Amino acid sequence: MKFLKSCLVFLFLSLVSYGQATEERNSVRFMTGYVQGGKLQIHSSKIDHFRGVQPYGAGLDFSWKFVSSNAYALCRCYPSMGISLNYWNFGAAALGNGVSALFYVEPVLFSFFGTDVAIRSGLGVTYLDNPHDELRNPDNIVYSTSIAFPLMAGISLDYPVSEKWSLRLVANFQHISNGGTNQPNLGLNYTTLGMGVARKLDLQDLPPPPEIDSYDASKNEKGIALRFIAGLKEPEESESKAAVLGLTAEYYSQFARINGWSAGMMGEWDSSRAGSSLTHNGRLSAIAGHHFLLGRFDFGQTAGLYLMRGHSTHSLWFQYYTLDFGLNQLIHVGVGLKAHGKVAEFLGVRLSVFL
C-alpha cells in the first residue's frame, strides 16, 4: 500500500511539474474561491440509511490557462490545468469530514455572451476523518481508510465582470474510494453545485484566438499498445491485501485533435482467493475505450465485457478509468481505477509500451 501511494504521489507531482515547466512562459495564472453543496447519491441499498444526506464545503483553486498557439491547437481553446483544494462536511456524523487535493484539466467547450463553458476532469488524494470501525463507527460502510482517492468530472461557467475578476459556477459529480485496498468500500458518490469568484493573478491579457491549420487526419497516431497493470485490493470479508496483475493488448487510433479510441483484450490474475488455477484466479475481457489526448496526457474511459470471470465478480462488465503520462513516444506511465458500476474494485499503476 505504501508503494502504491508513493507511485501515485510521484506521478501526480510529475504531471504538475511538467505542465508548469513546459508552459510557464505561456500561461496566465488564476485563483478561485467558492462554496459548494450537493446531494449524496444512494447507489446501493446497503447505504439507504444515508438517503437525503447533503454534503457541503468550500474550495480554493489555483490554475494555469495556457495561451500558446500550441495549446490552442490541441482543442481550439485555451485550456486550463490546476490544483483544487477542498474541505467537505459530508452531512452525516458517521461520514465525517474530508480534505482533498485534486489535479484537474479544464478545456473550454464554447463561449456565448462572454461566458466560457468548460468541462472539468480530475483526480487526487483526500484525507477522511471518520472511517468505518466495527465498534466505534459501524454505520459508515462507504469508506474504511483515512486516505482515499477522489475522481471528479463536471462542467463550469466563467463570466468576467472586470479585467481581473469573474464569477464562477461549477457543477460536479465526485466519487471517493480507496480503490478496493480495504473493506468496506462502497464509495462516496455525490453531485455538487459550487459558486465563487476567480481573480486573474497576472497582468498579461488573454490573447485573441490564433489562426491554426485545419486538422490533418493523415497525421493521426495509431498502433499497438501493451499495458502492464499492478494493483492491490482487499476482498470483502477479509482483512488481508491481495495483488492484482494485468496485461492489455490494444489497438489504438486517434480520430480528432484531442480524441482517440482503443479496442483489445485484457487479462488479469487476481490472488484474492485461494487457488492457483487459471480458471479460478484468471479473468479475460474484451475492452473498448475513448481517450482525451491533451499533449502528453491521456485520460481514458474504458468499458470491458468479461469473457472469463474466474471467482471474483458477479458482474458481466466493468469500467476502467485511467490517467497516463507520456515519458516519450514509446513509454507511458499512469494510474487506473477499475470499478463495477459505482463500486471500485482496485486502484493500480500502469506501464504502457507502444509498438
Side-chain angles (χ1 to χ4, degrees):
M1 183 64 178
K2 291 182 179 179
F3 171 75
L4 181 60
K5 290 179 182 178
S6 298
C7 290
L8 291 170
V9 172
F10 173 77
L11 176 67
F12 175 79
L13 294 177
S14 298
L15 294 174
V16 175
S17 298
Y18 171 79
Q20 293 179 1
T22 54
E23 293 285 355
E24 183 177 1
R25 297 181 181 179
N26 295 295
S27 63
V28 179
R29 297 173 298 166
F30 291 83
M31 181 172 66
T32 305
Y34 48 89
V35 294
Q36 50 197 340
K39 183 177 181 180
L40 189 71
Q41 300 300 303
I42 306 301
H43 58 278
S44 170
S45 60
K46 295 180 180 179
I47 60 171
D48 200 63
H49 53 289
F50 291 127
R51 187 173 299 277
V53 166
Q54 297 180 330
Y56 61 91
L60 187 65
D61 288 2
F62 298 92
S63 61
W64 295 261
K65 182 176 285 291
F66 302 134
V67 294
S68 68
S69 57
N70 288 336
Y72 189 88
L74 281 175
C75 54
R76 289 187 178 270
C77 70
Y78 291 128
S80 297
M81 180 177 74
I83 299 173
S84 182
L85 306 176
N86 298 272
Y87 161 77
W88 283 101
N89 181 309
F90 292 115
L95 297 179
N97 305 274
V99 178
S100 63
L102 292 90
F103 163 78
Y104 69 91
V105 295
E106 192 175 39
V108 177
L109 291 176
F110 59 89
S111 299
F112 70 99
F113 299 110
T115 301
D116 287 340
V117 179
I119 56 174
R120 291 163 58 92
S121 179
L123 80 169
V125 178
T126 187
Y127 171 77
L128 304 168
D129 70 356
N130 199 20
H132 171 82
D133 184 275
E134 291 184 359
L135 298 178
R136 185 182 58 84
N137 191 20
D139 289 341
N140 182 3
I141 58 174
V142 298
Y143 70 87
S144 56
T145 58
S146 293
I147 301 298
F149 307 100
L151 299 174
M152 175 265 291
I155 190 168
S156 67
L157 283 77
D158 186 280
Y159 178 74
V161 294
S162 70
E163 183 180 342
K164 287 187 172 292
W165 293 92
S166 61
L167 301 178
R168 295 271 291 175
L169 183 66
V170 180
N172 288 321
F173 172 81
Q174 304 201 43
H175 169 79
I176 298 177
S177 167
N178 63 35
T181 58
N182 203 69
Q183 296 294 336
N185 182 52
L186 290 179
L188 277 165
N189 297 313
Y190 52 107
T191 52
T192 66
L193 184 65
M195 296 179 290
V197 292
R199 188 182 192 279
K200 183 160 66 82
L201 301 179
D202 295 313
L203 297 176
Q204 178 182 357
D205 293 328
L206 297 181
E211 293 186 6
I212 60 174
D213 297 332
S214 58
Y215 178 66
D216 186 357
S218 66
K219 296 181 179 180
N220 284 354
E221 296 184 4
K222 59 184 65 176
I224 302 295
L226 297 179
R227 307 186 193 273
F228 302 89
I229 302 165
L232 291 175
K233 64 183 289 187
E234 181 180 290
E236 294 185 12
E237 302 178 359
S238 173
E239 295 183 358
S240 62
K241 302 296 188 294
V244 180
L245 302 177
L247 173 65
T248 72
E250 303 173 52
Y251 176 80
Y252 70 92
S253 177
Q254 182 181 1
F255 63 86
R257 288 183 186 273
I258 62 170
N259 294 279
W261 66 270
S262 63
M265 302 293 292
M266 179 176 181
E268 298 170 86
W269 179 266
D270 186 342
S271 63
S272 62
R273 294 290 188 274
S276 58
S277 68
L278 182 62
T279 56
H280 186 70
N281 296 83
R283 294 195 293 261
L284 182 66
S285 311
I287 57 175
H290 172 266
H291 300 262
F292 284 116
L293 308 173
L294 298 173
R296 294 197 185 189
F297 302 102
D298 181 337
F299 292 88
Q301 313 91 47
T302 298
L305 178 66
Y306 287 115
L307 305 178
M308 182 181 74
R309 285 183 284 171
H311 65 80
S312 56
T313 179
H314 299 291
S315 177
L316 294 175
W317 67 284
F318 63 88
Q319 315 98 266
Y320 189 40
Y321 305 102
T322 58
L323 169 63
D324 293 312
F325 174 73
L327 299 177
N328 52 49
Q329 291 185 337
L330 299 179
I331 304 295
H332 289 196
V333 295
V335 294
L337 176 69
K338 183 185 174 188
H340 297 102
K342 296 181 180 180
V343 179
E345 182 188 351
F346 74 88
L347 180 73
V349 293
R350 293 157 46 90
L351 173 67
S352 301
V353 180
F354 290 82
L355 306 179

